Amino acid sequence: MVGRSANYVLQEYPNAIHVFIYAPKDFRIKRVMETYGDSPEKAESNIRRADSARANYYKNISGNTWGERHNYDLLIDSSVGIEKCASAIGEFIGKRQNQ
């Protein structure tokens, strides 16, 4: 399950692994510009609006703050690349299963 307050919704499932994927502001702006053709200002505005919507949704569902480190098992900076993120998540899951 991805997004939609999954870490909160699945908190009673002991085998669920909660991952939060984030990226530095400059990386996110560049990525939005490349993907949607936005200007830097428009990209930053869209990111700010999307983050605000995510934070509000999460707060309404869970009563907690979106992105708080203690709510997740693993936090990953996506600016390292998709392959490295996927590999790190896979490694983490593998180690968890072997415990």
Side-chain angles (χ1 to χ4, degrees):
M1 182 177 198
V2 177
R4 302 293 173 211
S5 305
N7 69 311
Y8 177 75
V9 173
L10 300 174
Q11 67 184 333
E12 300 300 322
Y13 291 81
N15 293 327
I17 296 174
H18 309 292
V19 180
F20 187 82
I21 300 174
Y22 65 94
K25 180 180 171 183
D26 291 341
F27 177 83
R28 295 176 73 198
I29 290 171
K30 182 180 174 191
R31 177 85 178 194
V32 169
M33 289 170 57
E34 290 170 354
T35 302
Y36 300 106
D38 289 354
S39 68
E41 296 79 19
K42 178 80 169 169
E44 187 171 359
S45 173
N46 287 336
I47 290 167
R48 208 175 17 250
R49 187 176 63 247
D51 284 354
S52 178
R54 287 182 182 109
N56 288 332
Y57 179 83
Y58 190 80
K59 183 76 166 177
N60 287 332
I61 295 295
S62 70
N64 295 316
T65 303
W66 176 66
E68 288 275 325
R69 293 179 180 273
H70 66 271
N71 292 327
Y72 302 92
D73 301 307
L74 178 66
L75 290 91
I76 296 182
D77 179 346
S78 67
S79 69
V80 300
I82 293 170
E83 293 297 323
K84 286 184 180 179
C85 284
S87 178
I89 292 169
E91 264 185 58
F92 186 84
I93 292 169
K95 287 179 182 176
R96 267 295 192 67
Q97 289 176 338
N98 292 327
Q99 287 182 351

